[in-house]
Amino acid sequence: MFRKQECVAMLLAGGQGSRLYALTKRIAKPAVPFGGKYRIIDFPLSNCVNSGIETVGVLTQYQPLELNDYIGSGQPWDLDRMDAGVHVLAPYQRSKGGDWYKGTANAIYQNMQFIERYDPEYVLILSGDHIYKMDYSLMLQAHKERGADCTIAVLDVPREEASRFGILNTNPDGSIYEFDEKPAVPKSTLASMGIYIFTWEKLRKYLIADEENAASHNDFGKDVLPSMLAAGERMFAYRFEGYWKDVGTIDSLWEANLDLLNPKIPLDLSDPAWKIYSRNPGMPPQHLSATAQVQNSMITEGCEISGRVEYSVIFAGVTIEEGAEVVDSILMPGTVVRKGARVQYAILAENTDIGEGATVGERPEQATDLTKWGVAVVASGIRVAPGAVVPAKAMVEQDVEAKEVSAHA
């Protein structure tokens, strides 16, 4: 027997994350490590439990093994409940066949039976690739007070950046009268965050109609929301004020990690009033030797630091040997940077091994052509040979034996 829930959350976590390239070659994007001891999915899951939402469906598809293992029973987020809790929902074979999720709306459509177990009045739709802290209960309260059929969370962005987003144009009361996808000349600066609350009775109706439409992309942004707007449903924008970043690209993932080191950025992960929960292996405390030099960096448990670390995020179990330098970079769990190696403006995925005297990445002021400069990325488990050079913006997915690799290794 399942306990009735006022609101059920559905977390879309099945995308390939192709713009993260080597980092998502073997794992789903929401499972990518973040902030020294977290993974991206920790943020929406923690937001749910902190907001009083007890039932969360996590929709997986691409490379789900590590993400499924990480979520487990949901215990780290207090979501291991008999009559509610977190549930991993993958595409499955049905009596009349089965399909991969064809789009965001189709993914929810395929799991309507899960939602109906809990007979909710409202459904919260979330993405698994955003870094932010948000009280969904306040958004739900606004949805109810307005008698809305759909409420969309929006962020006020600088006008010069508005053309990068889906923009919502609203009336003075916050009701939405137009969707404008990446407009060349935006009418407003209210950007959709990809966070929606629907009245379930209405959403169910539109999901069924969308599935029956052979011409549909089966997507919320392209199909379901415009259909609701055209039909005159009550749709409102909910303004969010706070830190939010879509970490779907290498640059945005790098920026969001290093934002944690900027005291002017309002993203406090140590706030006991809104804790970000995670599942982490127990490790001994980090050790900084007599030769270590560390400045404005996050160093997680189990690290052995004997070299120089500056403005970087260092995950659990990383080793940085004497004479090595790590600057403006993100080192994921188990990485080793050996003596004399230099890592700058780079992301090193889990269990990489940077050989003695090797160089990975470069500072922008050292670049001869800034159009070819960017964050260097080394995929998980890769070995960079001693003395090898990995240039700026390289995407390394195989062991590096040569003295230098191209930017597209």
Side-chain angles (χ1 to χ4, degrees), residues 254-271:
W254 179 83
E255 290 168 2
N257 272 273
L258 297 189
D259 279 347
L260 297 173
L261 307 176
N262 187 341
K264 297 180 180 180
I265 299 293
L267 182 63
D268 182 6
L269 300 187
S270 62
D271 181 3

Side-chain angles (χ1 to χ4, degrees), residues 149 210 368:
D149 299 309
D210 182 71
T368 55

Side-chain angles (χ1 to χ4, degrees), residues 143-166:
H143 180 88
K144 292 189 287 187
E145 288 175 351
R146 289 166 162 174
D149 299 309
C150 173
T151 299
I152 301 174
V154 296
L155 193 70
D156 200 353
V157 299
R159 185 164 291 276
E160 60 269 20
E161 296 182 17
S163 59
R164 296 173 41 223
F165 295 91

Side-chain angles (χ1 to χ4, degrees), residues 193-211:
M193 298 167 63
I195 299 169
Y196 316 119
I197 290 180
F198 293 94
T199 299
W200 171 234
E201 183 180 357
K202 280 290 175 72
L203 176 59
R204 186 180 187 279
K205 168 187 169 183
Y206 279 91
L207 288 176
I208 293 171
D210 182 71
E211 190 65 22

Side-chain angles (χ1 to χ4, degrees), residues 19-23 250 375-379 390-391 393-398 406-409:
R19 293 179 298 164
L20 289 179
Y21 303 100
L23 298 179
I250 292 297
V375 176
V377 178
V378 180
V390 176
K393 210 174 182 178
M395 190 66 56
V396 180
E397 300 186 45
Q398 56 188 6
S406 72
H408 303 286

Side-chain angles (χ1 to χ4, degrees), residues 306-307 319-325 336-342 353-359 386-387:
S306 298
T319 299
I320 300 173
E321 296 184 351
E322 185 174 351
E325 295 184 2
V336 177
V337 182
R338 302 194 181 276
K339 293 180 180 179
R342 177 177 295 179
D353 189 325
I354 310 303
E356 291 189 18
T359 299

Side-chain angles (χ1 to χ4, degrees), residues 54 60 67 75 91 94 233 288 301 314 339 375 387 403:
E54 299 179 340
T60 65
L67 181 61
Q75 185 273 333
R94 295 177 297 278
E233 305 291 2
L288 278 63
E301 66 265 20
I314 310 300
K339 293 180 180 179
V375 176
K403 286 291 184 182

